[in-house]
DNA sequence: CGAGGAATTGACACTATTCAAAAACTGTGG
DNA sequence: CCACAGTTTTTGAATAGTGTCAATTCCTCG
């Protein structure tokens, strides 16, 4: 973006704080702008017909929420709820649209970003359909560590409830719990309250591949 | 696109015919352009680590293949294979890139298109993770009819092998076969060779919702 | 300390994959 | 036109993987 555009954006942006558990927007809602994540983590989920919530993506610092819906000029197909206290800034739709149509570089940049998201979505589809729940749980832990890090004691920095883990993996909460319990018994992970830490990364990765 | 641009595209485009079963491009291949589907149908699939092919999308007339990879400047994450004799036209990467950066309207149009694909991918993720194989098979038949139509005898115009059906649904071939056989016994569908026709749409839709 | 939600566990029904074998179909060369 | 070889489609039976429901136990917060 040019300097003038950047200025316009920073003039109009509104910073918002969202507490863990609170929604930024919900499925079906009409969005009149996008939200940039400055801090914290949000889950993007979609309610399935059977009443369960499928988490499609976890978004953290640097991610932009609502982009897809604003560009497609549709209501949101996902809900965004904070899983860790957040600070987001809001950018009105008008600015996005205007910048898109006046600045090809910006459009291409957004395009690249969306192309990347699409590839990730394809990968998730393959994972969901071709891997067992056990493999997906193992994968989820690796993913959580790689994307959100771990504290000095080796526990994952992003702590999700067992239900959220199940919703990321796409399974029943009890199934996820049982597998976590198995992993612990096998010495692959350690737990402390709802916190989870990776013990034996190597074997966990093996597990994710199916062994 | 402007007239001049359109002309440039039609000057450089190369028409290609692809027979059923032949590949247009494969996973990991570097694409130096995109393919527009003028006729026929292609499956876009990704090989999973366990050796099975997951069909992510079926593309027909009007669809553009390879767009994502060209835009992201990456090798293709999917393979494209014809499931029905095809006619495609090739548009070199250079032209795409140039048009993207010079014509904001074109970029926005592509963006909208990709936003739509992304939403569809989200829906597929939810279906894969939250529905049973039986529901997904039922859904697949409805999808095939809605998108590819049926002949005068009521058989689906797009005939896929049982294996392809299983790969769309994300299950073992035998599982898909068994479910198809069940549906037939229940009077929901009829078959003739590998052709499949929908008998009782209403109950099939119920089935897709899970009853 | 008590209430209410979260996490865990057991038992059981149901779903789906796997391996093996039989039957049906397809194209080819005699 | 038929027989053969190679696929694809079907079916069976055994096994493994998941989901559901109900009952406890744990935790956390007011």
């Amino acid at each position: 973006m040019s300097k003038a555009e950047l200025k316009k954006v920073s003039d109009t942006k509104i910073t918002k704080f969202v507490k863990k558990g609170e929604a930024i927007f919900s499925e079906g809602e009409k969005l009149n702008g996008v939200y940039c994540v400055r801090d914290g983590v949000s889950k993007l989920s979609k309610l399935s017909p059977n009443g369960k919530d499928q988490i499609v993506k976890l978004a953290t610092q640097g991610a932009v929420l609502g982009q897809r819906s604003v560009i497609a000029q549709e209501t949101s197909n996902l809900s965004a709820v904070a899983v860790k206290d957040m600070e987001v800034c809001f950018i009105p739709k008008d600015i996005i649209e205007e910048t898109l149509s006046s600045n090809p570089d910006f459009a291409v940049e957004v395009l690249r970003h969306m192309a990347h998201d699409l590839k990730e979505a394809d990968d998730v589809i393959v994972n969901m359909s071709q891997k067992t729940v056990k493999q997906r749980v193992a994968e989820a832990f690796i993913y959580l560590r790689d994307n959100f890090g771990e504290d000095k004691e080796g526990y994952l920095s992003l702590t999700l409830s067992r239900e959220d883990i199940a919703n990321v993996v796409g399974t029943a909460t009890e199934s996820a719990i049982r597998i976590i319990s198995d992993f612990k018994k096998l010495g692959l992970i350690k737990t402390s309250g709802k916190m989870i830490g990776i013990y034996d990364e190597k074997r966990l990765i093996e597990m994710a591949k199916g062994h």
Side-chain angles (χ1 to χ4, degrees), chain A residues 105-121:
Chain A
D105 290 346
F106 177 64
V108 170
E109 197 183 312
V110 174
L111 205 42
R112 290 236 163 80
H113 191 272
M114 206 165 289
H116 177 255
D117 281 355
L118 194 50
K119 179 183 184 175
E120 278 196 337

Side-chain angles (χ1 to χ4, degrees), chain A residues 23-111:
Chain A
I24 300 172
F25 55 80
S26 304
E27 204 176 327
E29 195 173 306
K30 202 171 113 228
L31 304 182
N32 37 28
V34 302
Y35 298 84
C36 305
V37 181
R38 305 189 75 92
D39 196 24
V41 183
S42 164
K43 60 177 173 184
L44 293 168
S45 66
K46 183 169 162 59
L47 211 57
S48 80
N50 70 28
K52 275 192 207 149
D53 222 34
Q54 174 64 39
I55 297 180
V56 168
K57 195 175 172 24
L58 291 169
T60 183
Q61 202 178 63
V64 179
L65 311 179
Q67 209 175 41
R68 197 209 66 77
S69 304
V70 165
I71 286 168
Q73 303 174 307
E74 299 168 349
T75 57
S76 175
N77 64 323
L78 303 173
S79 298
V81 173
V83 288
K84 199 171 187 180
D85 292 356
M86 300 179 74
E87 181 184 344
V88 300
C89 70
F90 177 80
I91 300 175
K93 179 168 62 173
D94 302 344
I95 303 221
I96 303 289
E97 283 175 352
E98 194 195 311
T99 312
L100 273 181
S101 58
S102 65
N103 184 343
D105 290 346
F106 177 64
V108 170
E109 197 183 312
V110 174
L111 205 42

Side-chain angles (χ1 to χ4, degrees), chain A residues 133-134 137 174-184 189:
Chain A
V133 175
K134 197 180 295 185
V137 171
E174 299 95 321
S175 299
I177 287 180
R178 265 180 245 278
I179 288 172
I180 292 173
S181 157
D182 283 353
F183 282 0
K184 192 176 169 183
I189 61 173

Side-chain angles (χ1 to χ4, degrees), chain A residues 145-193:
Chain A
R145 196 209 39 187
D146 290 350
N147 287 275
F148 304 99
E150 46 192 7
D151 62 22
K152 37 244 158 199
E153 284 114 35
Y155 290 103
L156 296 173
S157 302
L158 179 61
T159 302
L160 294 175
S161 69
R162 302 298 146 116
E163 187 179 4
D164 278 341
I165 293 175
N167 290 346
V168 165
V169 168
T171 189
T173 306
E174 299 95 321
S175 299
I177 287 180
R178 265 180 245 278
I179 288 172
I180 292 173
S181 157
D182 283 353
F183 282 0
K184 192 176 169 183
K185 278 179 197 148
L186 290 171
L188 302 182
I189 61 173
K190 59 184 174 181
T191 64
S192 165

